[in-house]
């Protein structure tokens, strides 16, 4: 059994992505049927190829590039930031160390000793930027098909990331 686990560890370390590591682990443990079930249930995600990324109106950084009108971007970004501000303000009522401010299109969620989130919009690139004290800087583009803000690197949704991180250090939850 020790040899099996050493081989298993070697396979996992060789893989580069988390999904590939999970697949290798499940395959090594004899759970091929579970992998087939996961593949059947998998929601397609946007992935780009370097050739396509350089072409306009194709895919860039994993999210379909569909340039919005500037006023549409401003409206979507302002609406989202205002909803997030309102939800974070409600959450701050239960957390004495949490301060929320929204000024000039920049939202700050100060968690005291745990750090500060900063969310701002970049109209030129039509992105939202978020600095997280726990996981760093992220850049989001609005996915008009689904109506949410999606990270350009790994396609996570901004609300899921914020909810997951804030629930770890604050009482309550974001209700957006």
């Amino acid at each position: 059994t020790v040899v099996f686990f050493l081989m298993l560890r070697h396979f996992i370390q060789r893989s580069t992505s988390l999904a590939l590591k999970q697949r290798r682990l499940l395959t090594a443990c004899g759970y091929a049927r579970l992998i087939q079930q996961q593949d059947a249930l998998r929601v397609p995600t946007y992935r780009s190829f370097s050739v396509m990324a350089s072409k306009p109106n194709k895919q860039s950084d994993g999210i379909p590039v569909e340039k919005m009108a500037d006023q549409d971007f401003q409206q979507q970004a302002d609406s989202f930031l205002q909803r997030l501000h309102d939800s974070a303000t409600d959450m701050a009522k239960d957390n004495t160390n949490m301060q929320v401010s929204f000024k000039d299109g920049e939202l700050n969620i100060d968690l005291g000793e745990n750090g500060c989130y900063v969310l701002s919009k970049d109209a030129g690139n039509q992105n939202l930027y978020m600095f997280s004290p726990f996981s760093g800087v992220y850049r989001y583009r609005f996915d008009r098909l689904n109506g949410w803000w999606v990270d350009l690197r790994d396609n996570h949704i901004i609300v899921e990331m914020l909810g997951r991180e804030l629930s770890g250090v604050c009482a309550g939850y974001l209700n957006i």
Side-chain angles (χ1 to χ4, degrees), residues 1-173:
T1 59
V2 173
V3 173
F4 171 75
F5 286 111
L6 289 174
M7 289 175 48
L8 183 62
R9 193 173 107 201
H10 173 72
F11 284 128
I12 292 172
Q13 288 175 344
R14 282 187 36 220
S15 61
T16 56
S17 73
L18 180 60
L20 188 56
K21 289 178 184 179
Q22 290 172 345
R23 290 178 73 85
R24 285 186 178 173
L25 177 64
L26 291 172
T27 303
C29 294
Y31 290 104
R33 184 176 204 86
L34 183 59
I35 292 173
Q36 291 171 349
Q37 290 172 351
Q38 285 180 345
D39 288 343
L41 297 173
R42 181 166 290 135
V43 176
T45 57
Y46 301 113
R47 295 289 178 213
S48 65
F49 297 96
S50 59
V51 175
M52 296 177 80
S54 62
K55 295 180 181 178
N57 296 327
K58 292 291 181 186
Q59 290 183 346
S60 174
D61 296 325
I63 307 238
V65 174
E66 190 174 320
K67 192 82 168 162
M68 292 192 291
D70 288 336
Q71 72 184 78
D72 289 342
F73 167 77
Q74 294 292 344
Q75 187 269 330
Q76 290 292 343
D78 289 340
S79 172
F80 173 75
L81 290 172
Q82 185 61 51
R83 287 192 324 263
L84 185 57
H85 172 260
D86 295 343
S87 181
T89 301
D90 289 342
M91 193 175 180
K93 293 175 185 174
D94 298 329
N95 297 280
T96 57
N97 65 333
M98 187 174 177
Q99 302 293 321
V100 181
S101 64
F102 185 42
K103 183 178 177 185
D104 298 328
E106 183 174 286
L107 176 64
N108 292 305
I109 303 172
D110 188 356
L111 303 174
E113 64 187 33
N114 290 317
C116 183
Y117 284 90
V118 179
L119 289 99
S120 61
K121 59 185 178 179
D122 177 11
N125 292 322
Q126 294 188 345
N127 293 330
L128 280 183
Y129 288 93
M130 178 181 79
F131 171 76
S132 164
F134 303 105
S135 56
V137 178
Y138 292 97
R139 194 172 55 146
Y140 298 90
R141 172 149 305 149
F142 187 71
D143 180 357
R144 291 171 56 162
L145 179 65
N146 296 305
W148 51 50
W149 292 90
V150 182
D151 179 69
L152 294 175
R153 287 181 293 184
D154 65 4
N155 295 333
H156 72 263
I157 299 168
I158 191 171
V159 175
E160 292 175 351
M161 172 68 81
L162 276 169
R164 188 171 46 247
E165 289 186 358
L166 287 175
S167 68
V169 294
C170 297
Y173 59 95

